[in-house]
Amino acid sequence: MVERQLRRATTCLLAIVATVALTACGGGPEAVERPTSERPDGVRADSDVERGAAEKAALGAYSGYLTASRTASRRGDPHAPELSRYLADPLLTRVQLSIRDAKEHGAMRTGTLRSDPTVIAVDLDSDPATVEIQDCLDATGYRLVYTKDQRTVPGSGGGKHLATATATRYPDGRWLISSGVAHQDQPC
């Protein structure tokens, strides 16, 4: 019974972590360019600067999310303050529940999670503005283990798969990762 619950928690953790990593392996898709209408010279340049700043901020939030979730998972702390620094709901709640479930079952995440995210779309005209990220999440060295003896939880081995996430700009100007999906059926 406990192993089944841990497997379910593991699957949830992998899905959440995979959701965060968003870069395709081996020459993934290029960033999507949205058509722009011709405007006076200064406006186009400002638009490119805004887009570049949005991409940088979104990738920073994504990287922060991965680091914060690994740290919180290792410590078994679902309310680690660094999580809310980079995540927003509904993803924040999913990550917190996943960490709590693992902790309640005597497990934690250890090892290395590899990621190389890429921005695939930017929409600064939407309300709120969003940036879509894609990653080939490599969780082959990232394991769910029993806290007591460091044995790997059966069925918790990770692999490489595609993940996508959305960074959203909030009214206070922060970019936070608000959603993510692990595409475990799409190896990369």
Side-chain angles (χ1 to χ4, degrees):
M1 171 93 167
V2 170
E3 281 192 20
R4 185 172 355 135
Q5 290 173 332
L6 278 173
R7 275 190 220 125
R8 188 178 67 197
T10 298
T11 301
C12 184
L13 277 172
L14 286 173
I16 290 169
V17 171
T19 296
V20 175
L22 306 177
T23 299
C25 297
E30 297 296 317
V32 174
E33 290 292 327
R34 300 208 189 277
T36 58
S37 57
E38 287 300 315
R39 298 181 184 176
D41 289 343
V43 176
R44 174 74 172 125
D46 288 345
S47 177
D48 290 343
V49 169
E50 284 182 51
R51 180 185 174 90
E55 288 179 8
K56 183 177 180 180
L59 289 171
Y62 182 76
S63 176
Y65 153 62
L66 290 179
T67 300
S69 64
R70 285 190 304 252
T71 301
S73 293
R74 192 174 13 253
R75 290 191 322 233
D77 183 4
H79 300 290
E82 57 267 19
L83 291 173
S84 60
R85 192 172 306 142
Y86 300 104
L87 292 169
D89 280 325
L91 187 58
L92 174 60
T93 298
R94 286 178 36 209
V95 169
Q96 289 173 324
L97 289 173
S98 179
I99 293 169
R100 188 189 74 198
D101 285 348
K103 181 180 179 178
E104 286 177 356
H105 292 100
M108 66 177 195
R109 286 263 168 215
T110 63
T112 303
L113 180 66
R114 290 193 167 76
S115 169
D116 185 23
T118 300
V119 170
I120 58 170
V122 176
D123 187 353
L124 298 177
D125 294 327
S126 65
D127 187 23
T130 59
V131 173
E132 299 297 325
I133 301 169
Q134 183 173 298
D135 200 355
C136 177
L137 186 62
D138 182 355
T140 55
Y142 196 52
R143 306 234 182 274
L144 185 65
V145 299
Y146 292 108
T147 307
K148 186 175 183 178
D149 58 12
Q150 301 297 301
R151 282 185 308 120
T152 300
V153 173
S156 68
K160 290 183 181 181
H161 57 276
L162 188 67
T164 55
T166 301
T168 303
R169 184 172 55 200
Y170 284 80
D172 64 2
R174 292 183 306 153
W175 285 90
L176 302 173
I177 305 301
S178 57
S179 67
V181 177
H183 304 280
Q184 294 181 335
D185 61 332
Q186 296 180 27
C188 52

